[in-house]
Amino acid sequence: MLDEPDSGIARWRRIADDLKRAIADGTIRDRAPAESELAERYGVNRHTVRRALSVLNAEGLLRTERGKGTFVNPQAPRLSYPITARTRFSENLARQARSPAGRLIRADRVAADGPLSAALGCRPGAPLHRLETLHVADGVPLSVATCHFSAERFPGIVAAYAETGSITEALKREGCADYRRRETRISAGRISPSDAEHFGLGPDAIILLAVAIDVDLENRPIQAIRTRFAADRMELLVETGSEPS
Amino acid sequence: MLDEPDSGIARWRRIADDLKRAIADGTIRDRAPAESELAERYGVNRHTVRRALSVLNAEGLLRTERGKGTFVNPQAPRLSYPITARTRFSENLARQARSPAGRLIRADRVAADGPLSAALGCRPGAPLHRLETLHVADGVPLSVATCHFSAERFPGIVAAYAETGSITEALKREGCADYRRRETRISAGRISPSDAEHFGLGPDAIILLAVAIDVDLENRPIQAIRTRFAADRMELLVETGSEPS
DNA sequence: ACGAATTTGTGCGTATGTATT
DNA sequence: TAATACATACGCACAAATTCG
């Protein structure tokens, strides 16, 4: 099928393109054939198939699980995450997705290191609550966030979040009526192994990284957030329409 | 060196980590040893070294050129690119870098397709100027942008940009005194082969993708821009400090 | 509960092609 | 032209995780 012309293009690349097409038109739906079968079908070595699969894996089209097989990632249209002074996860996605939800993955206490103490305006070594939260919409994991709060100022933040599933609500219970986003720094990189598991993505998936600082109404830093978005499921939207200069 | 304990971690991963360390502490500087030599040094097959190198390549630490060798990418600290209503490349970087410059890579005319005509508020099929520009600071390529302008409204934009090297100046000559950014959509993905060449990065490098729309003072769309940033050289900064709500 | 079959992950050795020096 | 260096591809073997009878 792919062996007639000496096209000058690597076989793994042609196979990758062919698999992409097969996924797009539904020939490959839920689960991809085993590597060994694809190798036989294309008349190539299994390594060559694996090279092709790794491309689709990195692009988020496929997810490979050792011992189980290779599966097609459900591809929803990319959701928009607006970044404004009032950036909140649940409000942001309430209109685009059906069931946004935040779940606590992990919570512990750490000491503020240099960058963190600078961001939060506390002394180095100050005790912090660290929350790791997973955000899901329509059953699809969209982002994982690591938040840092002053343990002195918000002693009960962990329990409050665990109950409410919302940072905004948890902060209200801790006496912070409102807050806003001061800045967001956006970069991109490869996913970490633990995040890959949470997202159900392969180890070469790409994430959007947003590092942000929220402040209270007196402009004092409340939390430092490090959010990882699955790059093929989300985009960040910055609207600068009304700003004068 | 790496073969004593059966650490349960793949050899290519350990080699990748070791190479990273060697790059960080300057043991490997300008150019990396040939794959065959690394293989011999680590006592592994060349394939195993290549697997390790591909990781560093994807992270932008190395750049591999066929027939020539593997080279260490100069790693400047990541520059910040503020996104505001007045986003302009040269102003943005003037304070952080020494010699920002824009160069025209390619210019041609295309017909507006669906998304483009919607973004620019013109009829589908309308003639557009398409400019591809490369932006460099301190000799390091930071971004490649593809801009679309109405060919009817800005007939001489290409020549004007070629002369001035600045979109802002070129628009002034074409009768558009000022403009501002309406929105920016940020996502991430793998680099394209042609961009990889412009950036001097490997084929698995990661880019930040910013798709933006600029409008004139009457809020009419002027240009649609698709900027690709080398993710390991730039971060985007969104400041939402003053916004009321 | 347990072993066999399946499936992916890692690694070696070899060979050949292609670009650069 | 020859030597060097990276790119692709095959085949083999075994490890590790999962599935299934």
Side-chain angles (χ1 to χ4, degrees), chain A residues 10-12 43-48 51 66-68:
Chain A
R11 312 180 82 160
W12 63 264
V44 300
N45 190 276
R46 188 162 73 97
H47 285 308
T48 309
R51 178 78 198 260
R66 180 179 189 156
K68 293 166 81 170

Side-chain angles (χ1 to χ4, degrees), chain B residues 171-190:
Chain B
L171 280 170
K172 272 188 191 156
R173 293 199 186 183
E174 290 287 303
C176 179
D178 199 8
Y179 64 97
R180 62 187 172 77
R181 179 139 303 183
R182 175 190 282 172
E183 64 168 44
T184 308
R185 290 174 187 273
I186 302 165
S187 57
R190 284 155 53 101

Side-chain angles (χ1 to χ4, degrees), chain B:
Chain B
M1 178 200 241
L2 293 173
D3 47 341
E4 318 88 6
D6 193 35
S7 42
I9 297 177
R11 312 181 80 159
W12 63 264
R13 200 175 286 279
R14 281 183 285 163
I15 292 172
D17 289 341
D18 194 61
L19 288 172
K20 244 181 261 188
R21 193 189 45 67
I23 291 170
D25 66 25
T27 310
I28 295 179
R29 269 198 303 275
D30 181 44
R31 173 177 183 166
E35 293 171 353
S36 49
E37 191 193 320
L38 287 174
E40 192 175 9
R41 187 180 303 183
Y42 285 113
V44 299
N45 191 275
R46 196 176 130 235
H47 287 309
T48 309
V49 166
R50 282 176 62 78
R51 179 77 198 261
L53 287 174
S54 80
V55 174
L56 309 208
N57 223 301
E59 292 178 7
L61 268 65
L62 292 179
R63 163 182 34 97
T64 293
E65 293 178 42
R66 178 180 188 151
K68 293 166 80 170
T70 301
F71 305 90
V72 178
N73 269 327
Q75 287 290 340
R78 201 173 283 196
L79 293 180
S80 282
Y81 186 91
I83 296 182
T84 69
R86 291 190 52 78
T87 292
R88 279 122 178 82
F89 182 81
S90 30
E91 297 176 14
N92 267 345
L93 296 178
R95 289 165 222 163
Q96 298 188 57
R98 273 183 296 280
S99 56
R103 190 169 62 81
L104 190 59
I105 298 175
R106 196 187 54 180
D108 53 9
R109 288 169 68 106
V110 297
D113 63 0
L116 265 178
S117 65
L120 289 172
C122 63
R123 68 182 187 285
L128 302 178
H129 284 303
R130 179 171 65 180
L131 308 193
E132 191 138 296
T133 59
L134 173 68
H135 304 103
V136 176
D138 294 334
V140 180
L142 295 179
S143 63
V144 176
T146 305
C147 312
H148 291 265
F149 296 89
S150 162
E152 291 158 348
R153 185 166 172 197
F154 305 105
I157 189 78
V158 176
Y161 181 82
E163 279 183 43
T164 62
S166 155
I167 291 288
T168 309
E169 288 304 313
L171 280 170
K172 272 188 191 156
R173 293 199 186 183
E174 290 287 303
C176 179
D178 199 8
Y179 64 97
R180 62 187 172 77
R181 179 139 303 183
R182 175 190 282 172
E183 64 168 44
T184 308
R185 290 174 187 273
I186 302 165
S187 57
R190 284 155 53 101
I191 202 168
S192 74
S194 66
D195 284 351
E197 195 162 351
H198 291 135
F199 283 123
L201 292 173
D204 315 312
I206 293 173
I207 53 132
L208 263 175
L209 177 64
V211 178
I213 297 174
D214 283 347
V215 295
D216 64 14
L217 298 180
E218 284 83 40
N219 215 34
R220 286 184 306 171
I222 288 181
Q223 64 167 334
I225 322 168
R226 192 172 167 283
T227 309
R228 289 87 79 198
F229 296 93
D232 54 339
R233 297 174 188 170
M234 298 285 289
E235 69 179 8
L236 306 182
L237 173 60
V238 182
E239 285 168 308
T240 42
S242 57
E243 219 169 310
S245 170

Side-chain angles (χ1 to χ4, degrees), chain A residues 1-18:
Chain A
M1 178 201 243
L2 293 173
D3 47 341
E4 318 88 5
D6 193 37
S7 43
I9 297 177
R11 312 180 82 160
W12 63 264
R13 198 175 289 277
R14 280 183 288 164
I15 293 172
D17 289 341
D18 194 60

